[in-house]
Coordinates of all heavy atoms in Angstrom, one line a residue:
G337 N -56.3 195.9 58.2 CA -57.5 195.7 58.9 C -58.0 197.0 59.6 O -57.2 197.7 60.1
T338 N -59.3 197.2 59.5 CA -59.9 198.4 60.0 C -60.0 198.4 61.5 O -60.3 199.4 62.1 CB -61.2 198.7 59.4 OG1 -62.1 197.6 59.6 CG2 -61.1 199.0 57.9
G339 N -59.9 197.2 62.1 CA -60.1 197.1 63.6 C -58.9 197.7 64.4 O -59.0 197.9 65.6
I340 N -57.8 197.9 63.7 CA -56.6 198.5 64.4 C -56.4 199.9 64.1 O -56.5 200.3 62.9 CB -55.3 197.7 64.0 CG1 -55.5 196.2 64.4 CG2 -54.1 198.3 64.7 CD1 -54.4 195.3 63.9
Q341 N -56.3 200.7 65.1 CA -56.2 202.2 64.9 C -54.8 202.6 64.6 O -53.9 202.1 65.3 CB -56.8 202.9 66.1 CG -58.3 202.6 66.3 CD -59.1 203.0 65.1 OE1 -59.0 204.1 64.6 NE2 -60.0 202.1 64.6
P342 N -54.6 203.6 63.8 CA -53.2 204.1 63.6 C -52.7 204.7 64.9 O -53.4 205.3 65.7 CB -53.3 205.2 62.5 CG -54.8 205.5 62.5 CD -55.5 204.3 63.0
G343 N -51.4 204.4 65.2 CA -50.8 204.9 66.4 C -51.1 204.1 67.6 O -50.9 204.6 68.7
E344 N -51.7 203.0 67.5 CA -52.2 202.2 68.6 C -50.9 201.9 69.5 O -50.0 201.3 69.0 CB -52.9 200.9 68.2 CG -53.5 200.1 69.2 CD -54.3 199.0 68.6 OE1 -55.2 199.2 67.8 OE2 -54.1 197.9 69.1
V345 N -51.0 202.3 70.7 CA -49.9 202.1 71.7 C -49.6 200.6 71.9 O -50.6 199.9 72.2 CB -50.1 202.9 73.0 CG1 -49.0 202.6 74.0 CG2 -50.3 204.3 72.7
G346 N -48.4 200.2 71.9 CA -48.0 198.8 72.2 C -48.3 197.8 71.1 O -48.0 196.6 71.2
R347 N -48.7 198.3 69.9 CA -49.0 197.3 68.8 C -47.7 196.8 68.2 O -46.8 197.6 67.9 CB -49.8 198.1 67.8 CG -50.2 197.2 66.6 CD -51.2 196.2 67.0 NE -51.5 195.3 65.8 CZ -52.1 194.2 65.9 NH1 -52.6 193.8 67.0 NH2 -52.3 193.5 64.8
D348 N -47.6 195.5 68.0 CA -46.4 195.0 67.4 C -46.7 194.9 65.9 O -47.3 194.0 65.4 CB -46.2 193.6 68.0 CG -45.0 192.9 67.3 OD1 -44.3 193.5 66.5 OD2 -44.7 191.7 67.7
W349 N -46.2 195.9 65.2 CA -46.5 196.0 63.7 C -45.9 194.9 62.9 O -46.4 194.5 61.9 CB -46.0 197.4 63.2 CG -46.8 198.5 63.8 CD1 -46.3 199.5 64.6 CD2 -48.2 198.7 63.8 NE1 -47.3 200.4 65.0 CE2 -48.5 199.9 64.5 CE3 -49.3 198.1 63.2 CZ2 -49.8 200.4 64.6 CZ3 -50.5 198.6 63.3 CH2 -50.8 199.8 64.0
L350 N -44.7 194.3 63.4 CA -44.1 193.2 62.6 C -45.0 192.0 62.7 O -45.1 191.3 61.8 CB -42.7 193.0 63.2 CG -41.7 194.1 62.9 CD1 -40.4 193.8 63.5 CD2 -41.6 194.5 61.5
S351 N -45.6 191.7 63.9 CA -46.5 190.6 64.0 C -47.7 190.8 63.1 O -48.2 189.9 62.5 CB -47.0 190.5 65.5 OG -45.9 190.0 66.3
T352 N -48.2 192.1 63.0 CA -49.3 192.4 62.1 C -48.9 192.1 60.7 O -49.7 191.5 59.9 CB -49.7 193.9 62.3 OG1 -50.1 194.2 63.6 CG2 -50.8 194.3 61.3
G353 N -47.7 192.5 60.3 CA -47.2 192.2 59.0 C -47.2 190.7 58.7 O -47.6 190.2 57.6
R354 N -46.8 189.9 59.6 CA -46.7 188.4 59.5 C -48.2 187.9 59.4 O -48.4 187.0 58.6 CB -46.0 187.8 60.6 CG -44.5 188.1 60.5 CD -43.7 187.4 61.6 NE -42.4 188.0 61.7 CZ -42.0 188.8 62.7 NH1 -42.8 189.1 63.7 NH2 -40.8 189.3 62.7
E355 N -49.1 188.4 60.2 CA -50.5 188.0 60.1 C -51.1 188.3 58.7 O -51.9 187.5 58.2 CB -51.3 188.7 61.2 CG -51.0 188.3 62.6 CD -51.6 189.2 63.6 OE1 -52.6 190.0 63.3 OE2 -51.2 189.2 64.8
L356 N -50.7 189.4 58.2 CA -51.2 189.7 56.8 C -50.4 189.1 55.7 O -50.8 189.3 54.5 CB -51.1 191.3 56.7 CG -52.0 192.1 57.5 CD1 -51.7 193.6 57.4 CD2 -53.5 191.8 57.2
S357 N -49.4 188.3 56.0 CA -48.6 187.6 55.0 C -48.0 188.6 54.0 O -48.1 188.4 52.8 CB -49.4 186.5 54.3 OG -49.8 185.6 55.2
V358 N -47.4 189.7 54.5 CA -46.7 190.6 53.7 C -45.2 190.6 53.9 O -44.8 190.2 55.0 CB -47.3 192.1 53.8 CG1 -48.8 192.1 53.4 CG2 -47.1 192.6 55.2
D359 N -44.5 191.1 52.9 CA -43.1 191.2 53.1 C -42.7 192.5 53.8 O -41.7 192.6 54.5 CB -42.4 191.2 51.7 CG -42.8 190.0 50.9 OD1 -42.7 188.9 51.5 OD2 -43.3 190.1 49.8
Y360 N -43.5 193.6 53.5 CA -43.1 194.9 54.0 C -44.3 195.7 54.6 O -45.5 195.4 54.2 CB -42.6 195.8 52.8 CG -41.4 195.1 52.1 CD1 -41.6 194.5 50.9 CD2 -40.1 195.1 52.7 CE1 -40.6 193.8 50.3 CE2 -39.1 194.4 52.1 CZ -39.3 193.8 50.9 OH -38.3 193.2 50.2
L361 N -44.0 196.6 55.5 CA -45.1 197.5 56.0 C -44.6 198.9 55.7 O -43.5 199.3 55.8 CB -45.1 197.4 57.5 CG -45.7 196.1 58.1 CD1 -45.6 196.1 59.6 CD2 -47.1 195.8 57.7
L362 N -45.6 199.7 55.2 CA -45.4 201.1 55.0 C -46.2 201.9 56.1 O -47.4 201.6 56.2 CB -45.8 201.5 53.6 CG -45.8 203.0 53.3 CD1 -44.4 203.6 53.4 CD2 -46.4 203.3 51.9
Q363 N -45.5 202.7 56.8 CA -46.2 203.5 57.8 C -45.7 204.9 57.8 O -44.6 205.2 57.3 CB -46.0 202.9 59.2 CG -44.6 202.9 59.7 CD -44.5 202.2 61.0 OE1 -45.4 201.6 61.6 NE2 -43.3 202.2 61.6
G364 N -46.5 205.8 58.3 CA -46.0 207.2 58.3 C -46.9 208.2 59.1 O -47.9 207.7 59.7

Side-chain angles (χ1 to χ4, degrees):
T338 56
I340 299 171
Q341 297 301 311
E344 190 174 305
V345 176
R347 181 70 184 169
D348 179 3
W349 296 118
L350 296 179
S351 292
T352 299
R354 290 183 196 106
E355 290 168 17
L356 293 171
S357 299
V358 296
D359 305 308
Y360 306 101
L361 293 175
L362 173 62
Q363 62 183 9

